[in-house]
Structure formats: structure tokens, C-alpha cells
Amino acid sequence: MNIFNHTVIQLDKKVTLNFINVENYSKDFVKLIEEEIGFIRNGIVNDEDIKDIKKRIKIWIDRKKKDERAKNGFVAEFICHLYLRSRKFEQYSLFKNLEERGPKKGFDGLYMLDNEMWLVESKSTTVLKNTHFSEINKAYSDIKMKIESSEENLEINDPWENAKHHIQIANPNKTLTENMKKLSSDFINNKKHKIKEFNIIPCSTIYLKGSWKKIDDDELKKIFEKEIVKKDAKKLNVLCVNKKSVDDFIKFINN
């Protein structure tokens, strides 16, 4: 069953493209959200009633009032987490800040697949002239900045320390925690790393509303196969999502 109406294209050993289309939420899609939202938000120790999870998210969304950009980004990132978990990526981060009620800071996600670590960055837009390639570039640039920064870059908080804390709560893993501890130590001691050392998942969501259409797989593949292979990274797993709106998610939260 193709709940995400998606296509997966393996360009080469380094690059995988995922083209995802979410127009409306089917019963199966809602069922998947109900099954996954607890772990996505709270991690392995989730014991919270789904009604309370919905209420917490509703409170955060209501506080944003007219900040459509924040709400769009929140829903876009959630759908990316939902998709990755459906693809058997193992989640080691929480979809929230540890210090407050909103979505998390630092990397947008930390996952494992086949004993390899993957870092996630999600971008979204309602500007129809923007393209998936431009949004993926933004996500790539952001994650590159976080990976390649250190304590001397005063505007950047230590993303590895943040990731370590999330692992300890979301899904404890001693080896992964030690890895984050080492990377965090490198960060504060200005031992810089390069993005080519890491597997990354840059994500792009475009909200189309009344201009809804599915991704043209062949057309988008042609765009990416010329340019994405030039990007430095150990491996790239690219997510492009055409989404109609946030309305179905808001409806789900309110029910």
C-alpha cells in the first residue's frame, strides 16, 4: 500500500530520491499518524494518551496564531518523520524541544538505518515559484553549516550536545551517545568536521493549496541527477514532498 503516493529513485550508490505526494489524508494515512505520533513526539518511553498529545500540539499551534510559516514548517517536518519511520529508519530524536513545548532545535532529526547514522534538515515553502531543488539547497546549506561549525562560530549552538540529550530520552543507544559526545567535544574544541563525513537527509515540502499537482517524477529526477550528485556528503537521501495544505493535520489534531 502506497500511503504516501511516493516514488523512490536510486540515482547511484550515494544518492536516493524520494518523491512524495500528500493531497488529503486517507483513513490509512490517519491511522498511520495515530500509530506513530506518540513515538515521533515522545520517543520510546511514550506513555501519553493520544488525546493529550493532540492537545499539546494544538496548544503550540494556537499560540502561533497567524504565524503560518511556523505551522507550515511544523507539519512539513512531521510528515518527513512519519515517512522516514515508514521506511524503517530508526528514530533517535524527539519532535520537540527538551526545554519548551515547541518543535526541537539543532538537527531536525537523527536516525539510524543499517547501522549508519543519518542527519535530517527540513525546509518548506508556500511560494509557488520556489522549487524543490531550491528548498533542498537551503536544507543542505543549513545542515552543512551545523556540521562544519564549531565553538568559534558564536551564532551556532552545539548541535551534537543537543542530539546527545535527545538520544538519551528518545531511544537510548550507548554507541550513538558516545559518538555524539565525541562530536560535541570536537565542537567545543574547534576540531571541525566536513559534511562529506556524514549521511544526510535534506527535505523539501511545497504547499500547493489550490494549485495542487503531483510531482512529475521524470522532470524532477532530471533536475536532481545533474546537480545533487555534486553535493558533498557520504550519502544523500533526498525527500521532496508536494503537500496540499496543513488543513488535514489541523483537522486531525482538533478531533
Side-chain angles (χ1 to χ4, degrees):
M1 186 181 298
N2 192 347
I3 293 177
F4 289 89
N5 198 4
H6 69 284
T7 302
V8 179
I9 300 170
Q10 190 77 44
L11 283 187
D12 55 26
K13 291 181 179 180
K14 175 183 171 183
V15 180
T16 304
L17 305 176
N18 301 263
F19 299 155
I20 302 158
N21 301 278
V22 182
E23 182 178 8
N24 301 114
Y25 291 10
S26 65
K27 289 182 180 179
D28 288 329
F29 198 86
V30 171
K31 183 174 182 290
L32 182 64
I33 294 175
E34 290 173 339
E35 293 170 351
E36 296 289 345
I37 195 169
F39 194 107
I40 289 172
R41 188 176 188 278
N42 296 323
I44 199 168
V45 296
N46 176 61
D47 58 358
E48 192 171 21
D49 189 281
I50 190 170
K51 291 180 180 178
D52 290 339
I53 295 172
K54 286 182 176 183
K55 188 169 185 178
R56 292 185 193 280
I57 294 173
K58 183 180 185 302
I59 289 169
W60 183 85
I61 288 174
D62 288 346
R63 283 179 174 166
K64 292 302 172 181
K65 297 181 180 177
K66 294 183 179 181
D67 188 351
E68 298 299 325
R69 184 171 176 270
K71 289 186 278 190
N72 290 340
F74 181 95
V75 176
E77 186 182 331
F78 176 82
I79 296 300
C80 291
H81 289 303
L82 190 68
Y83 175 77
L84 288 169
R85 287 180 56 78
S86 78
R87 299 291 297 172
K88 308 305 179 186
F89 281 81
E90 191 173 359
Q91 181 183 342
Y92 286 92
S93 54
L94 302 176
F95 185 49
K96 62 180 179 181
N97 280 335
L98 298 179
E99 302 83 10
E100 55 182 270
R101 299 174 184 175
K104 66 183 290 296
K105 296 177 181 177
F107 297 114
D108 284 342
L110 174 65
Y111 285 84
M112 293 288 289
L113 181 68
D114 298 330
N115 294 315
E116 290 189 297
M117 183 178 78
W118 292 82
L119 300 170
V120 179
E121 186 70 31
S122 172
K123 297 296 179 185
S124 65
T125 184
T126 59
V127 180
L128 297 185
K129 69 177 182 179
N130 289 0
T131 66
H132 281 300
F133 187 69
S134 67
E135 295 303 302
I136 290 297
N137 274 337
K138 292 175 188 176
Y140 177 88
S141 295
D142 268 18
I143 206 164
K144 184 175 188 289
M145 177 180 63
K146 291 172 185 176
I147 288 171
E148 298 189 351
S149 294
S150 67
E151 184 63 28
E152 66 185 12
N153 303 102
L154 299 178
E155 71 278 9
I156 301 294
N157 293 323
D158 180 357
W160 307 110
E161 183 180 40
N162 183 283
K164 181 185 71 174
H165 293 324
H166 275 261
I167 293 165
Q168 292 167 341
I169 297 173
N171 197 357
N173 181 300
K174 185 176 180 180
T175 301
L176 200 53
T177 298
E178 288 299 317
N179 189 16
M180 293 303 106
K181 188 187 298 184
K182 170 64 167 59
L183 289 165
S184 180
S185 175
D186 289 348
F187 182 92
I188 63 171
N189 288 294
N190 294 313
K191 296 178 182 178
K192 295 191 175 184
H193 289 267
K194 293 293 185 181
I195 195 170
K196 65 183 180 181
E197 302 170 46
F198 297 89
N199 301 313
I200 65 169
I201 306 176
C203 308
S204 163
T205 299
I206 298 178
Y207 289 97
L208 296 167
K209 296 189 177 180
S211 300
W212 167 258
K213 61 180 178 180
K214 289 179 61 178
I215 292 173
D216 185 324
D217 294 347
D218 292 335
E219 180 182 344
L220 194 53
K221 178 189 173 185
K222 288 178 183 177
I223 294 170
F224 275 107
E225 64 187 356
K226 291 180 181 178
E227 299 295 334
I228 200 70
V229 293
K230 300 176 185 176
K231 299 285 189 188
D232 284 335
K234 188 177 178 183
K235 291 181 185 176
L236 283 142
N237 214 312
V238 177
L239 270 60
C240 297
V241 184
N242 270 15
K243 197 171 190 317
K244 188 172 184 179
S245 70
V246 300
D247 293 349
D248 277 4
F249 185 85
I250 301 298
K251 181 180 177 182
F252 168 79
I253 292 301
N254 287 332
N255 284 342

